[in-house]
Amino acid sequence: MPEPVGLLAPGRIGPMELSSRIIQAPVATALADRDGSLTQRGVDYLEARAAGGASLVSVEGANIAMLGTGHRANLGLYRDELIPGFARAAEAVHRHGAKLAVQIQFNGRQGRQHVAFRQPVAPSSVPCMVGSPASYPRAMSVEELEHLIELHVRAARRAATAGADAIWVHGCHGYLISSFLSPLTNQRTDEFGGTLRRRAEFPLRVVRGIREAIGPDIALLYRMNGSDYRPGGVDIEMAAEFAAMLAEEPVDLIDVSGGTYEARHITFQGPWDPPGGFVSNALRIKEAVGDRVKVSVVQKLSDPEVAESVLAQGLDFVSIGRGLHADPDYVRKVREGRRADIVPCISCLACLDLFGTPGATALCATNPDTTDEPRRRIAPAPRPQRLLVVGGGVAGMEAAVRAARAGHEVELHERGSRLGGQVVLAARTAPDFRKFVDYLTGQLAELAIPVEFGSEVDVDLIRAKAPDVVVCATGAKPGPWFWTMDDSIPRSDLLGVYEAPVGPEDRIVLIGGDWRGSMTALDLARRGAQVWIVEPRLELAFDAPPGTTRPRLVDRVAADEAITVMTEATVELVAGGTVTLQSRDEYSVLEGVTRIVTAEVVAANDLAEALALLEPELPVYRIGDALRPRDMLSATQEAADAVERIGLRSAFSADRTHAGAAHDA
């Protein structure tokens, strides 16, 4: 085995010389117009990553035909009129010495007829039941398949015309090319179905056609599944055999991913999953292709130490998508030895959920600048203000850090003895969340922002401090109590139960199964308790994003044998050590309950209300749960919004000062 290489070692992929072993993997951002054109905001997104040191910047999947689209903001390369947007991207990326790769795709059976207004097409009529509505594709004729091969070639030719240095063939995740390889979704009996070699005929013809069209001076990259993670689908041995076929073709790099829409929980790992889930498959594929083709791998590799360990095992490159989504300057910070300054991806799935939300773009919970880099860029305040930030959760920490970077004088007050608020509690079951708290804590220290713990901020303290602006990030507090009960069973609120002694002897009724309640149930079960979630609504985690986060969280709760879920249910009476429950007018009595926990929380906005009444001239900004209990994405976005408005206010104040001075003169 050759000597392992580091992240910053130069590398070569076909005709491309790259300055590092880090590939920016394609990330779905929804920065396209309805006609498939790349917007200027999308160009800015790509340029930010090139400026941040990425040596290969990738454009997300561009559809080869409108029929193949599955999202109203999917990119397209199905008309010559779409070339200029990609040309602007190539020019912007090349300006910083980076290379541009364009991924081309066709959704196939995972396409959406409510987006394309046409029935999806696929190798066989095998429906995709994931999503609403489900997708019922029709099987294509041989003539249609040959036409689709030509459409892939035309799209690649358009990308090359725009100035792309590399073409990605999207051959994974259950899309058209991937579905040809799978025995589950390819049930054809002609030359494109049957044995693996015949199922591989379509993708191999696509590869050959593209190579002939783009020539030897543009790199050809192929992204494939190491496994579909579905019984009867592509497994690693099939994948390795197919990779060996690709090695005989003019492919310069194989990038290994995995999963389909039916196995999205594998494709998109959450904050509770370990990193590098596809590495073993990538190593098997590298063994199959040897030195004939470079091999990279994707999935939760944004921690530099993890990425380096992957390279040390013999792979040629690492593909990092969400890590560079969270921090466009990732590569530069690694190069400068500033790893603690990298804005961490915490695998919260917010970007993916937003991509699936009509009209939304794939923002980032840990970086409010993402997908809006030029507008969100922190600018020096024309007239620095004195800010008092109340609350040391992620909303308050983000606001304090951003304000200090803008030149404001900031102090942060936290009533407790630690930073991070509820995110620290959630990190017990979602360990990656802790990375963001640690990052912000480090930034507070680096910027020398004073933090006062045990500080109960009231109107008198604010009057004594006399700040120019107050940012209320006071978080959430327990909601009111509505239940009829005696004192026979101890009760806790959602926040207090994390500090309560809980063990295997406990039987706990948790009233409320929103996402906070569900996460708390997982923590209580982790600590050994038996838990009953009593949720009046139809579904668990009803307030979590429905695309990915909600099903992942619901699945985790369902898989925990220590948790019993009762939906459409209420607690009717607590008396004599028993709990009376009802669901659809059927009653049951639960005995031996040792604790009752209520999940509801409300905004802790007492300070903001008092200031509005007693100090109406003082600018006060409420952010995060202090405005309305929601999620981390809302907290950081509102922190950025507040600091931006404070800067605009200071600019207006400075303009008025200058005007007054001129008038006095």
Side-chain angles (χ1 to χ4, degrees):
M1 179 179 294
E3 287 293 318
V5 296
L7 282 177
L8 301 179
R12 186 179 184 88
I13 301 176
M16 291 191 303
E17 292 284 354
L18 303 179
S19 60
S20 76
R21 297 305 178 106
I22 300 169
I23 297 172
Q24 186 235 322
V27 174
T29 59
L31 295 177
D33 281 332
R34 181 70 171 103
D35 65 352
S37 57
L38 181 63
T39 63
Q40 185 57 45
R41 192 171 167 187
V43 172
D44 294 338
Y45 174 89
L46 297 165
E47 182 173 8
R49 277 123 197 102
S55 56
L56 181 62
V57 175
S58 299
V59 182
E60 65 195 81
N63 274 292
I64 63 167
M66 187 62 188
L67 174 61
T69 192
H71 191 285
R72 289 179 180 270
N74 263 157
L75 285 170
L77 267 172
Y78 38 77
R79 293 185 293 113
D80 289 348
E81 290 79 4
L82 299 174
I83 294 174
F86 291 85
R88 291 199 308 274
E91 180 183 359
V93 167
H94 292 158
R95 191 179 303 135
H96 300 279
K99 306 291 186 182
L100 181 73
V102 176
Q103 186 180 56
I104 58 174
Q105 72 173 74
F106 188 89
N107 284 31
R109 66 183 288 270
Q110 294 175 172
R112 297 297 175 205
Q113 62 193 36
H114 67 281
V115 176
F117 295 100
R118 295 281 302 282
Q119 182 183 14
V121 295
S124 303
S125 298
V126 180
C128 178
M129 306 306 293
V130 176
S132 180
S135 171
Y136 294 88
R138 65 173 177 83
M140 292 180 289
S141 67
V142 171
E143 291 75 19
E144 287 177 304
L145 295 185
E146 291 173 344
H147 180 58
L148 276 176
I149 293 170
E150 177 58 26
L151 292 182
H152 278 87
V153 172
R154 293 177 190 175
R157 190 181 290 118
R158 291 186 182 107
T161 300
D165 303 284
I167 306 297
W168 284 98
V169 175
H170 200 333
C172 61
H173 300 161
Y175 295 123
L176 180 73
I177 293 176
S178 172
S179 67
F180 267 95
L181 284 178
S182 170
L184 278 178
T185 51
N186 183 352
Q187 299 172 5
R188 303 177 72 93
T189 57
D190 59 13
E191 61 187 299
F192 294 98
T195 65
L196 176 61
R197 182 59 188 80
R198 285 163 57 182
R199 297 197 308 274
E201 184 65 18
F202 182 87
L204 293 176
R205 286 195 195 181
V206 168
V207 166
R208 292 175 197 141
I210 290 176
R211 173 53 78 195
E212 183 178 351
I214 65 176
D217 296 330
I218 295 177
L220 184 53
L221 321 179
Y222 192 101
R223 195 171 220 195
M224 65 175 288
N225 275 359
S227 172
D228 289 347
Y229 296 97
R230 297 186 66 199
V234 171
D235 59 24
I236 182 55
E237 293 309 316
M238 288 184 203
E241 187 176 345
F242 174 65
M245 298 179 198
L246 283 176
E248 298 300 320
E249 305 293 336
V251 172
D252 298 306
L253 176 133
I254 294 173
D255 187 56
V256 180
S257 186
T260 68
Y261 276 17
E262 288 91 348
R264 284 164 69 91
H265 62 290
I266 301 293
T267 305
F268 303 107
Q269 296 283 274
W272 37 70
D273 297 309
F278 298 146
V279 172
S280 61
N281 284 345
L283 291 171
R284 175 68 184 88
I285 286 171
K286 182 61 179 175
E287 178 186 350
V289 301
D291 294 332
R292 293 176 291 173
V293 181
K294 300 292 174 59
V295 176
S296 61
V297 66
V298 72
Q299 196 190 68
K300 288 194 72 169
L301 304 178
S302 57
D303 186 315
E305 286 73 25
V306 172
E308 285 171 339
S309 72
V310 170
L311 292 176
Q313 294 177 65
L315 295 181
D316 302 295
F317 290 85
V318 290
S319 289
I320 300 177
R322 286 185 286 177
L324 270 75
H325 188 70
D327 194 339
D329 297 320
Y330 177 99
V331 179
R332 172 181 293 132
K333 290 175 180 177
V334 171
R335 197 173 293 281
E336 294 175 353
R338 298 167 49 212
R339 297 187 177 192
D341 292 334
I342 295 173
V343 182
C345 170
I346 56 174
S347 304
C348 64
L349 307 174
C351 55
L352 184 65
D353 283 320
L354 285 167
F355 178 77
T357 302
T361 56
L363 306 175
C364 178
T366 59
N367 188 350
D369 297 351
T370 292
T371 73
D372 209 1
E373 285 81 6
R375 187 185 72 82
R376 280 291 203 193
R377 187 175 294 118
I378 299 173
R383 187 181 180 191
Q385 306 284 288
R386 289 179 297 110
L387 269 67
L388 195 151
V389 179
V390 187
V394 295
M397 297 170 80
E398 179 71 28
V401 167
R402 294 182 76 88
R405 287 177 180 163
H408 298 295
E409 181 183 333
V410 185
E411 58 181 273
L412 176 64
H413 289 247
E414 164 56 43
R415 67 184 299 179
S417 59
R418 60 164 176 78
L419 296 168
Q422 292 186 61
V423 174
V424 172
L425 303 180
R428 292 187 182 184
T429 49
D432 286 355
F433 285 4
R434 183 76 209 196
K435 296 178 183 178
F436 190 38
V437 175
D438 292 343
Y439 161 76
L440 288 173
T441 301
Q443 297 304 296
L444 290 170
E446 185 175 307
L447 293 164
I449 298 172
V451 179
E452 292 195 25
F453 291 105
S455 178
E456 292 281 355
V457 178
D458 55 18
V459 175
D460 289 338
L461 186 146
I462 288 175
R463 284 171 172 167
K465 293 281 188 179
D468 298 314
V469 179
V470 173
V471 176
C472 275
T474 42
K477 63 182 180 181
W481 189 269
F482 296 109
W483 295 271
T484 302
M485 65 180 294
D486 60 18
D487 295 328
S488 59
I489 301 176
R491 67 188 188 188
S492 299
D493 58 66
L494 186 69
L495 307 179
V497 75
Y498 277 91
E499 307 304 328
V502 171
E505 71 282 357
D506 282 297
R507 291 163 57 86
I508 297 175
V509 171
L510 194 155
I511 306 174
D514 61 4
W515 76 265
R516 283 180 170 85
S518 299
M519 292 289 284
T520 303
L522 288 169
D523 180 67
L524 293 171
R526 180 187 62 84
R527 293 154 69 186
Q530 289 287 319
V531 184
W532 283 259
I533 300 177
V534 182
E535 170 51 53
R537 290 176 175 81
L538 288 167
E539 58 185 343
L540 205 63
F542 58 88
D543 55 340
T548 303
T549 300
R550 182 189 298 164
R552 291 295 309 277
L553 184 53
V554 170
D555 286 348
R556 285 181 62 79
V557 171
D560 197 317
E561 295 181 355
I563 301 176
T564 301
V565 177
M566 300 180 64
T567 54
E568 297 183 273
T570 55
V571 171
E572 293 299 310
L573 179 66
V574 178
T578 64
V579 178
T580 301
L581 307 170
Q582 78 79 30
S583 178
R584 299 183 181 182
D585 200 35
E586 293 185 3
Y587 291 80
S588 59
V589 176
L590 191 60
E591 299 180 341
V593 176
T594 58
R595 186 179 298 273
I596 294 177
V597 179
T598 54
E600 185 178 33
V601 296
V602 297
N605 55 16
D606 297 349
L607 177 62
E609 295 290 337
L611 289 171
L613 181 66
L614 301 175
E615 294 290 337
E617 299 300 317
L618 178 64
V620 176
Y621 296 86
R622 280 191 296 161
I623 62 175
D625 284 356
L627 185 62
R628 182 166 54 88
R630 283 149 301 146
D631 54 22
M632 200 183 318
L633 175 75
S634 301
T636 55
Q637 288 289 327
E638 287 163 8
D641 288 340
V643 173
E644 187 175 325
R645 295 201 304 273
I646 291 166
L648 292 172
R649 183 185 182 90
S650 74
F652 177 72
S653 176
D655 288 344
R656 291 189 61 185
T657 300
H658 291 314
H663 179 75
D664 292 341

